[in-house]
């Protein structure tokens, strides 16, 4: 653990972690290593402390400090380990609160991100932190990020609606909104906030009542909807429609008002109207008119907002989006909706393949990326994509290769064409060679023979000028595992890359390979 060679140090830390609780006497040395200048040493020391699980060594307090480490791989390791060695919720919240007391929000956000990454297991600590004045505001933000997973925190979030701080009340309401219908018990408390003197609080209350589809709040929402504040009027009318899905008149009133909002000069009002329309459960004929109006808006930012909002509805709208592919006027929007939906758009694959036949190259490239986003369920598109891996259009051939890689092992019929690219395009199109190698690494996972050919090409690609490409290659080498051992030297260099994503991907790849 004190060797001059960093690789010896992190291997030693990893070995101690593998021994587990029987290595408890090494805890002080590992705690010291949490301050090592090398990220891999810090990460493995943190993981080892988690595996040893010695709650009496002071390792918890030392690990908490690493939640703001500049390296993501270290933050993740420290967060996981701290959860394991935590001496209990009260101590965890105390340490969390001390960390959040830092006046630099950038530091706080880094720590909060590391905690939220833990998913369900972060909820108990964040829930307990709602009772700590120093930590409650940031705990609300973390719970908002977790959405429905934060349901166990409803009671404590509801209690914060009487807090003296406006910002705390607003953030608690946003967290309740993120939880959705499981937060309906907060309805009476939210209704009271509709009459708060602060307009921001009233906005948050109406928004939360709409998201939870509150029952028993109609009278108060109707009164709120009489306001001259157009933004608040939109929120209250939408909340009424959400709470009364079978009331056709309320639905029509909401649609009419929200369509006005889409054309409003105020960007905030337009954004709220688009998202609200997407969340209403409308009949198909009404929804078609709504989407046509959204896509015809003169405001350029409305289309991407509409696409994102529609895609969030998932498989329920996949069929209707697929039908739009046949019309060149609506094709681009439909492709982008399906791309954002990813695997949920699997039923649209035949329509996407058909749309490729008469699309220009730019739209064709977007279709290919949508097929890639759908992934293995898009295997029906493999023959069409295979025919495009050497297309004269650069965008088409790159996007086709990408899609085949995302489809994975079911894309083996395209293997010969991609393998040919490794030999034939090293000089005239080196990126096509590299992209083909990436795709093949996904199509032939766990294949030592494939690794012999692909690893040297991928290793050379770690010097590519684009950081996103370097990060993707590092991840691919990590997925290959032990068969990528020859790339270890280049990955060690990449751990010191100028880009954070590359450093993190390289560190994790080394861990998998070694």
């Amino acid at each position: 653990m004190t060797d001059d060679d960093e690789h010896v140090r992190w291997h030693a830390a990893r070995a101690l972690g593998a021994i587990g609780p029987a290595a408890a006497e090494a805890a002080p040395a590992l705690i010291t290593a949490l301050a090592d200048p090398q990220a891999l040493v810090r990460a493995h020391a943190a993981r080892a402390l988690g595996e040893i699980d010695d709650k009496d060594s002071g390792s918890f307090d030392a690990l908490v400090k690493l939640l703001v480490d500049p390296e993501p791989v270290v933050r993740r390791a420290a967060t996981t380990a701290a959860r394991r060695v935590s001496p209990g919720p009260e101590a965890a919240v105390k340490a969390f609160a001390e960390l959040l007391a830092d006046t630099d929000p950038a530091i706080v956000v880094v720590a909060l991100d590391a905690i939220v990454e833990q998913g369900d297991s972060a909820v108990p600590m964040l829930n307990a932190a709602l009772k700590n004045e120093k930590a409650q505001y940031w705990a609300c933000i973390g719970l908002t990020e977790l959405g429905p997973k934060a349901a166990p925190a409803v009671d404590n979030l509801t209690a914060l609606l009487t807090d003296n701080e406006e910002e705390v009340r607003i953030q608690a309401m946003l967290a309740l909104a993120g939880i959705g219908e499981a937060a309906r018990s907060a309805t009476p408390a939210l209704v009271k906030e509709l009459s708060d003197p602060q307009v921001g609080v009233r906005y948050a209350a109406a928004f939360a009542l709409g998201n939870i589809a509150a029952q028993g709040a109609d009278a108060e929402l109707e009164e709120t909807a009489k306001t001259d504040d157009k933004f608040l009027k939109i929120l209250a009318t939408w909340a009424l429609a959400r709470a009364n899905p079978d009331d056709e008149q309320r639905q029509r009133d909401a649609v009419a008002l929200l369509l006005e909002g889409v054309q409003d000069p105020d960007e905030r009002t337009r954004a709220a109207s688009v998202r609200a329309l997407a969340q209403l459960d409308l009949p198909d004929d009404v929804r078609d008119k709504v989407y046509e109006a959204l896509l015809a808006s003169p405001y350029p930012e409305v289309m991407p907002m509409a696409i994102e909002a529609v895609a969030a509805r998932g498989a329920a709208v996949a069929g209707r989006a697929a039908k739009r592919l046949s019309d060149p006027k609506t094709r681009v929007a439909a492709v982008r909706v399906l791309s954002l939906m990813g695997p949920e758009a699997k039923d649209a694959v035949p329509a996407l393949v058909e749309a490729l036949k008469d699309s220009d190259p730019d739209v064709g490239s977007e279709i290919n990326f949508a097929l890639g986003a759908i992934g293995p369920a898009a295997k029906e598109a493999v023959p069409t994509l295979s025919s495009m891996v050497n297309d004269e259009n650069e965008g088409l051939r790159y996007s086709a290769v990408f899609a085949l890689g995302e489809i994975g092992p079911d894309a083996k019929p395209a293997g010969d064409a991609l393998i040919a690219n490794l030999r034939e395009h090293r000089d005239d199109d080196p990126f096509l060679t590299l992209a083909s190698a990436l795709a093949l690494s996904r199509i032939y996972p766990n294949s030592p023979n494939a690794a012999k050919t692909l690893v040297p090409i991928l290793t050379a690609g770690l010097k590519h000028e684009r950081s996103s490409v370097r990060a993707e290659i590092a991840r691919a080498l990590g997925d290959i595992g032990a068969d990528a051992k020859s790339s270890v030297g280049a990955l060690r260099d990449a751990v010191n890359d100028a880009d954070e994503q590359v450093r993190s991907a390289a560190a994790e790849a080394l861990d998998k390979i070694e």
Side-chain angles (χ1 to χ4, degrees):
M1 289 300 302
T2 58
D3 195 272
D4 290 339
D5 187 333
E6 67 186 82
H7 304 110
V8 173
R9 297 199 300 278
W10 75 256
H11 276 83
R14 187 177 66 176
L16 288 164
I19 294 169
E25 67 185 81
L30 289 166
I31 290 173
T32 299
L34 295 179
D36 195 280
Q38 296 300 323
L40 271 180
V41 179
R42 298 197 299 278
H44 280 287
R47 288 174 187 161
L49 286 166
E51 294 299 324
I52 291 171
D53 194 14
D54 181 2
K55 292 179 171 57
D56 299 323
S57 65
S59 57
F60 177 76
D61 291 339
L63 286 164
V64 167
K65 293 176 183 177
L66 282 193
L67 296 186
V68 294
D69 192 276
E71 297 297 334
V73 68
V74 178
R75 295 198 297 270
R76 285 194 289 269
T79 308
T80 302
R83 192 177 75 246
R84 293 193 65 175
V85 305
S86 172
E90 290 185 7
V93 171
K94 181 175 180 293
F96 178 56
E98 290 174 356
L99 193 68
L100 298 187
D102 194 302
T103 55
D104 183 355
I107 297 295
V108 176
V109 169
V110 167
L112 196 59
D113 282 347
I115 292 165
V116 170
E117 276 187 2
Q118 302 298 304
D120 291 354
S121 60
V123 174
M125 196 204 75
L126 290 171
N127 190 16
L130 293 174
K131 297 181 179 180
N132 185 296
E133 287 188 7
K134 290 182 180 179
Q136 59 192 193
Y137 172 78
W138 294 103
C140 285
I141 291 179
L143 291 165
T144 302
E145 290 292 316
L146 289 167
K149 295 177 181 177
V154 167
D155 289 346
N156 284 340
L157 287 167
T158 303
L160 285 180
L161 300 188
T162 59
D163 194 89
N164 292 329
E165 294 292 332
E166 172 189 343
E167 293 83 359
V168 172
R169 298 202 304 280
I170 288 175
Q171 200 57 57
M173 285 188 273
L174 293 178
L176 289 165
I179 292 168
E181 294 184 13
R184 279 183 175 173
S185 62
T187 298
L190 289 168
V191 165
K192 290 180 182 178
E193 298 304 300
L194 288 173
S195 56
D196 192 275
Q198 298 296 328
V199 68
V201 175
R202 299 198 296 275
Y203 289 161
F207 175 70
L209 287 165
N211 268 277
I212 68 175
Q215 304 297 300
D218 287 5
E220 292 83 358
L221 286 168
E222 286 170 355
E223 187 63 31
T224 302
K226 296 176 183 177
T227 179
D228 292 330
D229 183 327
K230 182 173 281 189
F231 189 69
L232 184 56
K233 186 181 186 72
I234 283 173
L235 288 171
T237 304
W238 163 74
L240 280 165
R242 285 269 296 156
N244 299 277
D246 298 326
D247 188 327
E248 292 185 9
Q249 187 59 52
R250 289 197 189 278
Q251 302 299 315
R252 284 196 292 271
D253 290 346
V255 169
L257 181 63
L258 293 169
L259 285 176
E260 282 182 25
V262 172
Q263 310 301 329
D264 196 272
D266 178 55
E267 184 177 353
R268 179 188 60 177
T269 301
R270 294 198 299 273
S273 299
V274 169
R275 293 189 176 93
L277 281 165
Q279 285 186 284
L280 291 180
D281 191 14
L282 303 172
D284 289 341
D285 59 331
V286 176
R287 187 173 297 284
D288 282 347
K289 292 177 182 177
V290 166
Y291 291 165
E292 285 172 7
L294 293 179
L295 298 176
S297 172
Y299 296 100
E301 83 280 2
V302 169
M303 179 183 279
M305 285 194 299
I307 288 168
E308 183 178 346
V310 173
R313 293 182 60 81
V317 296
R320 307 199 69 75
K323 291 178 181 178
R324 298 284 176 167
L325 292 170
S326 60
D327 184 349
K329 293 180 181 178
T330 57
R331 182 174 296 159
V332 170
V335 171
R336 290 175 182 171
V337 166
L338 294 166
S339 185
L340 283 175
M341 288 171 59
E344 290 188 304
K346 61 182 180 180
D347 292 340
V349 170
L352 285 165
V353 173
E354 185 65 25
L356 274 171
K357 295 178 181 178
D358 65 347
S359 297
D360 65 52
D362 288 341
V363 178
S365 296
E366 290 213 39
I367 292 173
N368 288 349
F369 282 121
L371 291 166
I374 294 169
K379 62 182 179 181
E380 180 183 335
V382 169
T384 302
L385 292 167
S386 298
S387 69
M388 302 170 77
V389 298
N390 280 296
D391 194 276
E392 62 182 17
N393 181 273
E394 184 180 84
L396 281 176
R397 62 178 182 266
Y398 292 160
S399 59
V401 169
F402 167 81
L404 289 165
E406 295 300 299
I407 291 170
D410 285 328
K412 284 177 182 173
D416 288 344
L418 292 169
I419 290 168
N421 284 347
L422 303 184
R423 298 190 299 267
E424 297 171 10
H425 295 286
R426 288 184 182 240
D427 297 325
D428 65 321
D429 194 347
F431 186 72
L432 182 60
T433 299
L434 184 56
S436 297
L438 272 169
L440 286 163
S441 73
R442 295 187 173 97
I443 294 170
Y444 296 98
N446 307 315
S447 169
N449 287 334
K452 287 178 185 177
T453 301
L454 301 177
V455 169
I457 298 171
L458 294 173
T459 303
L462 285 171
K463 296 186 180 298
H464 195 276
E465 60 184 13
R466 286 169 54 190
S467 60
S468 59
V469 174
R470 298 196 301 275
E472 192 64 29
I473 289 169
R475 283 190 281 269
L477 289 166
D479 289 341
I480 290 172
D483 289 324
K485 210 149 199 171
S486 61
S487 68
V488 165
L491 285 168
R492 285 175 178 166
D493 291 339
V495 169
N496 297 311
D497 193 277
D499 184 84
E500 182 181 278
Q501 278 194 327
V502 178
R503 296 196 298 272
S504 180
E508 291 179 6
L510 281 169
D511 199 26
K512 289 180 179 180
I513 292 167
E514 296 199 325

